[in-house]
């Protein structure tokens, strides 16, 4: 369904409550801080029709594991799945007026407004409600998930009786009786688990403090979910434990027109971060510190954090209010979703829902990483540190796949283990090794952070590059070929010489060799340590260079295009004209083999290579490739439209560029893929930023050198974005009069504007060009 909110550049707002859109709204109004994710379910809970809600609370990187059961087994298949858990709901606050419970689906709602403000980070709600008995109350709630404290969230819940005096009861709960959503027939939704994933290990109730301790069955983690309350009114207090559900009840003799204000502080701490025997004490300390600050100071911290973020990352578009709202919504959710501790990453659905089981994909490196690299480079570094933390598991996976050396990163994972049960579209995507290497190269080009390279990056580059020599070989003509892999396009599996894979492997091998040679030259002591750590043999770097030089990169001279793989052009083209709209996405209606034997793409593949390896293609190459692959691509993947937009912009297809861009920019706000209720699409969200900077801004970074070729869509009055580069912050503003480059902070920068050199300095920070 399409969901239309009033157009607000800095938030989303709804003015009525609708059970029909509630499931979707829970995603759109979700809050997170990169670790905790709380779906936008109201504090009092939701008792609407089945299938209209998923009251989820999630912790990035906190997972359960279960064996994958194969009816027909084979050596080397992934053995265990990991899935993000729906953890106890600690935000519950039920409101009772005497014996009547506040429920938006009962009585009458006289006025209603809910707002998510991207500048304050607060989810606010104002409701005027009349109970079936006729009693009326004004309810106001404010909710935040703290950017300043990873483990903390807080809720201010204020109730004002209107026209009556009487008992008002507030029941604060921690509910551990939660389950994960079951996937059913759609592999993109939920998990395969059944039943509760957390076993009760203990409870603690004390005045104004409650804690629930649980353990996973298989992954071996302990979790403490805790809450503490402050109530600014005389009250009576009671508490009880109902198994894994803890209730603390406050009863106030309320008076007409006098507000009753309760603040609930909640936290989650797990043994993924601390020793299990420390968790309860840490939860107490976290909540005591929060109570000492109070909600208003926590809210001020939140606003300050976001002010600093927007000062670096804001993308401004004048002339399209819907687009401006979509861009900032996407950026806000990316910030809410990304792990920033070096142990967690960003999942396909962030921390807003259970789609794809909370797994991390190569989406991070290719789609999401650039957004953080150029807007919050310290977070980008943490994402790369996560890959280093996963290197031991990647080495183990390489051995399982019969590689004597090297490391093979998983297609989907949480803790580093390959979790894809369908290897043709999972493990076969060897390109993820090159994707990780590509992100390291991007990071080094933009930051020059040799400390990262020496401590983490070089080891990753060398271990992952070895896999290409393990999987590839020289054919009879002397070309280096890579057989039986799957490229980015998931509608084409197990092919020889996927163009994207080969081209990215070539870059990977070259970069690994050159980085190693530079370290050996400039940091000999570090090089000795790195070479020993990976047991580098004499001649390996030369073998990297030889394979790269001989890499087969398919090209069809008759068509003047780059074939997606050796066999792609020999297949018959999918019957698009004969495929009804209700049969899309194809993966839900056709056996994989049916799809695999046709020329049909789910997403950008060769077209993605045109962007990432831009300097290797002429403009004519790009146009011919774009034309060919656009005709056979369904865009069933949310990863697709943004890449087609960028290349369409580059080759001069202004209308297509804008249309594809708009498909990406409001994909979740308008639920254009029909599944946002299961979680946002983080890669598409980041693709919106790519569309502005790489697409309309024409930005490319090659070997540390930056160039721009800006265009202004006719629908816009102007646009501007900012990028971090070499420790400086540059603003790019494009308007009908030209392009203005402004050095906002840092040292001098040199770059190109349409091929001409430009320099900005602290003394001359602004350059205006036609």
């Amino acid at each position: 369904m399409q969901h239309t909110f009033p157009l607000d550049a800095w938030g989303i707002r709804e003015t009525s409550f609708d059970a029909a859109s509630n499931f979707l709204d829970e995603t759109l109004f979700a809050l997170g801080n990169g670790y905790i994710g709380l779906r936008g379910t109201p504090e009092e809970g939701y008792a609407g029709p089945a299938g209209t809600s998923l009251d989820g609370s999630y912790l990035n990187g906190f997972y359960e594991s279960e064996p994958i059961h194969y009816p027909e087994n084979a050596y080397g298949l992934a053995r265990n799945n990991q899935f993000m858990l729906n953890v106890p709901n600690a935000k519950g606050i039920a409101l009772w007026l005497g014996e009547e419970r506040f429920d938006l689906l009962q009585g009458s709602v006289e006025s209603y407004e809910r707002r998510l403000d991207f500048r304050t980070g607060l989810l606010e709600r104002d409701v005027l409600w009349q109970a079936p008995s006729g009693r009326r109350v004004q309810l106001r709630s404010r909710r935040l998930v703290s950017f300043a404290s990873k483990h903390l969230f807080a809720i201010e819940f204020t109730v004002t009786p209107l026209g009556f005096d009487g008992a008002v009861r507030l029941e604060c709960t921690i509910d551990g009786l939660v389950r994960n959503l079951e996937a059913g027939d759609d592999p993109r939704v939920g998990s395969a688990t059944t039943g509760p994933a957390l076993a009760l290990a203990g409870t603690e109730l004390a005045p104004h403090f409650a804690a629930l301790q649980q353990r996973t069955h298989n992954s071996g983690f302990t979790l403490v979910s805790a809450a503490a309350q402050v109530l600014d009114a005389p009250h009576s207090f009671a508490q009880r434990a109902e198994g894994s559900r803890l209730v603390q009840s406050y009863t106030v003799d309320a008076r007409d027109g006098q507000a009753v204000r309760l603040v609930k502080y909640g936290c989650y701490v797990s043994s993924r971060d601390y020793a299990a025997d420390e968790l309860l004490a840490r939860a107490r300390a976290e909540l005591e510190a929060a109570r000492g600050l109070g909600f208003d100071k926590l809210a001020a911290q939140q606003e300050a954090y976001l002010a600093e973020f927007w000062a670096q990352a804001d993308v401004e578009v004048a002339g399209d209010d819907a687009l401006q709202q979509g861009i900032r919504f996407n950026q806000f959710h990316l910030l809410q979703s990304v792990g920033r501790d070096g142990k967690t990453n960003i999942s396909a659905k962030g921390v807003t829902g259970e789609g794809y089981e909370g797994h991390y994909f190569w989406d991070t490196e290719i789609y999401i990483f650039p957004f953080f690299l150029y807007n919050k480079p310290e977070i980008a570094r943490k994402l790369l540190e996560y890959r280093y933390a996963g290197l031991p598991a990647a080495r183990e996976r390489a051995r399982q796949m019969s590689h004597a050396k090297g490391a093979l990163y998983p297609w989907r994972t949480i803790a580093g283990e390959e979790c894809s049960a369908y290897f043709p579209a999972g493990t076969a995507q060897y390109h993820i090794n090159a994707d990780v290497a590509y992100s390291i190269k991007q990071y080094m080009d933009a930051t020059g952070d040799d400390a990262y390279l020496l401590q983490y990056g070089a080891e990753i580059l060398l271990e992952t590059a070895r896999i290409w020599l393990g999987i590839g070989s020289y054919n009879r003509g002397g070309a280096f070929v890579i057989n039986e892999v799957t490229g980015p396009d998931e509608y084409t599996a197990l092919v020889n010489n996927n163009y994207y894979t080969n081209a990215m492997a070539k870059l990977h091998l070259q970069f690994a060799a050159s980085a190693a040679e530079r370290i050996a030259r400039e940091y000999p002591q570090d090089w000795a340590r790195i070479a020993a750590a990976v047991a580098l043999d004499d001649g390996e770097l030369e073998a990297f260079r030889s394979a790269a030089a001989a890499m087969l990169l398919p090209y069809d001279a008759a068509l003047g295009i780059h074939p997606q793989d050796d066999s792609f052009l020999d297949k018959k083209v999918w019957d698009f004209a004969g495929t009804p709209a209700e049969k899309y996405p194809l993966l839900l209606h056709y056996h994989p083999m049916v799809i695999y034997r046709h020329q049909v793409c789910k997403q950008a593949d060769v077209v993605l290579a045109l962007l990432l390896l831009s300097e290797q293609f002429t403009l004519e190459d790009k146009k011919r490739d774009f034309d060919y692959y656009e005709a056979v691509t369904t865009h069933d993947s949310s990863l697709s439209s943004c890449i087609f937009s960028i290349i369409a912009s580059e080759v001069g297809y202004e209308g297509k560029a804008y249309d594809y861009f708009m498909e990406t920019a409001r994909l979740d706000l308008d639920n254009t893929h029909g599944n946002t209720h299961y979680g946002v699409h983080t890669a598409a969200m980041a693709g919106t930023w790519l569309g502005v900077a790489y697409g309309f801004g024409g930005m490319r970074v090659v070997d540390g050198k930056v160039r721009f070729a800006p265009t202004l869509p006719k629908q816009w009055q102007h646009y501007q974005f900012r990028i971090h580069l070499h420790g400086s912050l540059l603003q790019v503003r494009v308007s009908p009069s030209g392009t203005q480059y402004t050095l906002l902070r840092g040292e001098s920068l040199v770059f190109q504007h349409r091929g001409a050199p430009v320099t900005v300095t602290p003394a001359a920070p602004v350059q205006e060009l036609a």
Side-chain angles (χ1 to χ4, degrees):
M1 69 177 280
Q2 278 214 331
H3 197 112
T4 303
F5 296 107
L7 296 181
D8 180 343
W10 285 104
I12 55 173
R13 178 170 56 93
E14 61 179 3
T15 55
S16 63
F17 178 77
D18 185 0
S21 66
N22 181 69
F23 203 161
L24 174 61
D25 293 340
E26 288 176 350
T27 294
L28 301 181
F29 286 94
L31 287 182
N33 64 358
Y35 177 62
I36 298 173
L38 303 180
R39 282 175 63 82
T41 315
E43 290 82 11
E44 68 274 8
Y46 175 81
T52 61
S53 176
L54 173 63
D55 193 354
S57 305
Y58 308 107
L59 303 177
N60 190 1
F62 186 80
Y63 66 92
E64 175 62 305
S65 61
E66 285 188 349
I68 300 172
H69 298 289
Y70 296 95
E72 295 185 30
N73 204 358
Y75 179 82
L77 296 179
R79 292 302 168 197
N80 295 288
N81 187 28
Q82 300 163 350
F83 53 92
M84 181 175 71
L85 288 176
N86 187 1
V87 298
N89 176 8
K91 66 180 182 292
I93 306 173
L95 168 63
W96 294 81
L97 309 179
E99 297 305 312
E100 291 180 294
R101 179 168 176 165
F102 170 67
D103 185 340
L104 289 170
L105 299 174
Q106 303 296 323
S108 63
V109 178
E110 297 182 17
S111 67
Y112 175 96
E113 182 175 277
R114 181 165 60 161
R115 303 172 300 279
L116 176 57
D117 191 313
F118 308 148
R119 289 171 295 190
T120 66
L122 297 184
L123 178 64
E124 300 178 281
R125 184 174 56 140
D126 287 285
V127 181
L128 182 59
W129 182 73
Q130 181 173 316
S133 66
R135 284 178 291 189
R136 299 167 70 242
V137 292
Q138 180 77 43
L139 183 147
R140 183 166 196 247
S141 66
R142 297 195 295 165
R143 182 189 304 178
L144 65 84
V145 178
S146 174
F147 286 119
S149 180
K150 167 180 172 178
H151 303 285
L152 181 70
F153 72 89
I155 300 167
E156 179 190 66
F157 197 86
T158 305
V159 182
T160 305
L162 300 177
F164 75 95
D165 299 335
V168 169
R169 188 166 83 254
L170 298 167
E171 283 195 350
C172 297
T173 55
I174 300 176
D175 187 358
L177 301 175
V178 294
R179 294 171 179 258
N180 274 58
L181 187 70
E182 294 182 34
D185 294 329
D186 190 338
R188 303 167 298 175
V189 175
S191 68
T193 188
T194 57
L198 290 165
L200 181 63
T203 61
E204 180 158 336
L205 284 170
H208 319 298
F209 174 83
L212 184 66
Q213 183 169 310
Q214 297 168 300
R215 294 192 182 96
T216 60
H217 297 286
N218 301 317
S219 57
F221 300 131
T222 301
L223 172 68
V224 167
S225 310
Q229 294 82 224
V230 174
L231 178 60
D232 295 341
H235 61 271
S236 61
F237 175 77
Q239 58 188 4
R240 64 186 186 274
E242 302 168 348
S244 294
R245 187 173 185 270
L246 307 181
V247 183
Q248 294 189 308
S249 180
Y250 299 81
T251 302
V252 177
D253 186 12
R255 292 289 179 262
D256 179 20
Q258 295 183 10
V260 176
R261 177 181 180 266
L262 178 139
V263 179
K264 181 174 188 178
Y265 304 96
C267 75
Y268 298 97
V269 285
S270 87
S271 58
R272 282 217 74 188
D273 293 315
Y274 308 110
D277 59 3
E278 298 177 10
L279 299 180
L280 190 59
R282 287 187 176 273
R284 282 185 176 279
E286 184 81 47
L287 294 174
E288 193 59 35
R291 285 171 51 133
L293 284 172
F295 188 91
D296 289 338
K297 287 185 179 179
L298 290 174
Q301 286 182 346
Q302 198 80 342
E303 188 167 2
Y305 183 95
L306 286 165
E308 189 268 345
F309 170 72
W310 291 117
Q312 300 177 71
D314 186 34
V315 173
E316 179 182 303
V317 173
D320 191 327
D321 294 339
L323 176 60
Q324 181 67 84
Q325 182 182 44
I327 290 172
R328 288 188 176 132
F329 173 83
N330 292 346
Q331 292 181 276
F332 180 74
H333 264 287
L334 285 168
L335 183 66
Q336 291 198 129
S337 297
V338 66
R340 59 204 71 183
D341 56 8
K343 296 184 292 186
T344 54
N345 200 280
I346 181 169
S347 75
K349 298 290 187 180
V351 284
T352 66
E354 297 173 28
Y356 294 109
E357 301 177 283
H359 288 159
Y360 314 137
F361 292 78
W362 64 285
D363 307 13
T364 296
E365 280 72 26
I366 298 305
Y367 291 84
I368 301 171
F369 183 81
F371 170 76
F372 288 106
L373 174 60
Y374 294 113
N375 292 286
K376 289 281 284 183
E378 65 274 21
I379 291 180
R381 192 185 205 269
K382 290 299 181 182
L383 291 173
L384 293 180
E385 289 177 19
Y386 165 82
R387 286 301 186 187
Y388 185 79
L391 196 53
R395 289 185 175 112
E396 182 179 349
R397 183 59 175 159
R399 304 300 167 270
Q400 293 167 357
M401 295 300 295
S402 302
H403 299 295
K405 289 183 176 182
L408 178 61
Y409 278 110
W411 181 55
R412 56 190 295 175
T413 190
I414 295 178
E417 184 179 353
E418 176 63 81
C419 294
S420 173
Y422 187 63
F423 74 85
T427 298
Q429 292 201 39
Y430 270 68
H431 66 82
I432 192 171
N433 267 21
D435 300 333
V436 172
Y438 186 87
S439 68
I440 294 173
K441 186 176 191 302
Q442 280 189 298
Y443 179 77
M444 294 305 301
D445 283 348
T447 69
D449 183 2
D450 279 356
Y452 166 78
L453 185 67
L454 298 175
Q455 188 175 357
Y456 305 110
E459 199 171 330
I460 295 174
L461 289 173
L462 294 168
E463 287 283 62
T464 52
R466 284 169 157 166
I467 295 299
W468 300 120
L469 300 184
I471 190 176
S473 60
Y474 291 89
N475 67 13
R476 288 178 296 174
F480 191 82
V481 297
I482 300 174
N483 295 327
E484 213 66 18
V485 297
T486 298
D489 170 31
E490 294 163 17
Y491 283 174
T492 309
L494 300 179
V495 297
N496 296 342
N497 297 309
N498 167 254
Y499 186 92
Y500 176 91
T501 301
N502 285 25
M504 291 288 282
K506 178 183 176 80
L507 181 75
H508 183 181
L509 290 162
Q510 291 171 330
F511 179 53
S514 62
E517 289 160 358
R518 183 171 76 85
I519 294 170
R521 184 173 63 252
E522 298 179 11
Y523 303 97
Q525 288 185 325
D526 289 289
W527 174 244
R529 170 182 54 79
I530 293 165
V534 301
L536 192 73
D537 292 337
D538 292 341
E540 279 196 81
L541 298 182
E542 184 56 37
F544 290 176
R545 290 202 176 278
S546 296
M551 187 70 67
L552 178 65
L553 298 176
Y555 185 76
D556 186 278
L559 294 175
I561 67 167
H562 298 89
Q564 188 166 296
D565 57 73
D566 283 354
S567 62
F568 189 80
L569 299 181
D570 295 330
K571 299 173 181 177
K572 63 180 177 180
V573 175
W574 185 272
D575 180 14
F576 295 100
T579 304
E582 61 269 20
K583 290 290 188 179
Y584 293 92
L586 301 182
L587 67 101
L588 297 183
H589 302 282
Y590 298 92
H591 190 282
M593 291 296 292
V594 175
I595 299 173
Y596 294 163
R597 64 173 64 104
H598 288 85
Q599 279 191 58
V600 57
C601 300
K602 184 183 181 186
Q603 63 211 85
D605 194 301
V606 169
V607 176
L608 180 57
L610 301 180
L611 170 61
L612 303 185
L613 307 171
S614 181
E615 72 282 3
Q616 299 181 17
F617 305 91
T618 67
L619 197 61
E620 292 74 19
D621 283 335
K622 292 176 182 178
K623 186 177 185 300
R624 287 191 298 268
D625 282 338
F626 179 93
D627 289 343
Y628 190 89
Y629 289 104
E630 184 189 31
V632 296
T633 301
T634 65
H635 307 292
D636 284 347
S637 168
S638 62
L639 304 181
S640 193
S641 294
C642 62
I643 304 302
F644 273 80
S645 172
I646 294 167
I647 302 303
S649 183
E650 186 175 9
V651 301
Y653 292 151
E654 296 178 2
K656 289 182 178 182
Y658 199 78
D659 289 345
Y660 280 126
F661 178 76
M662 289 303 293
E663 286 182 21
T664 303
R666 287 185 61 95
L667 186 150
D668 283 313
L669 274 181
D670 293 336
N671 194 23
T672 57
H673 277 232
N675 61 0
T676 295
H677 42 294
Y678 297 119
V680 298
H681 298 76
T682 54
M685 287 177 153
T688 306
W689 185 87
L690 295 176
V692 174
Y694 288 11
F696 303 122
M699 175 180 154
R700 301 290 185 274
V701 183
V702 180
D703 296 331
K705 298 177 181 178
V706 186
R707 65 176 188 264
F708 300 95
T711 59
L712 179 66
K714 63 184 179 181
Q715 295 88 343
W716 299 354
Q717 297 162 15
H718 72 259
Y719 66 96
Q720 66 182 35
F721 61 95
R722 298 162 186 171
I723 62 165
H724 281 269
L725 200 65
H726 306 309
S728 297
L729 184 62
L730 178 71
Q731 178 174 283
V732 182
R733 180 183 177 88
V734 183
S735 67
S737 61
T739 305
Q740 181 187 79
Y741 297 98
T742 304
L743 182 66
L744 298 178
R745 69 169 182 254
E747 301 301 318
S748 303
L749 284 177
V750 179
F751 50 89
Q752 287 188 353
H753 171 82
R754 304 190 195 285
V758 180
T759 302
V760 288
T761 68
V766 180
Q767 292 286 345
E768 299 197 26
L769 302 161

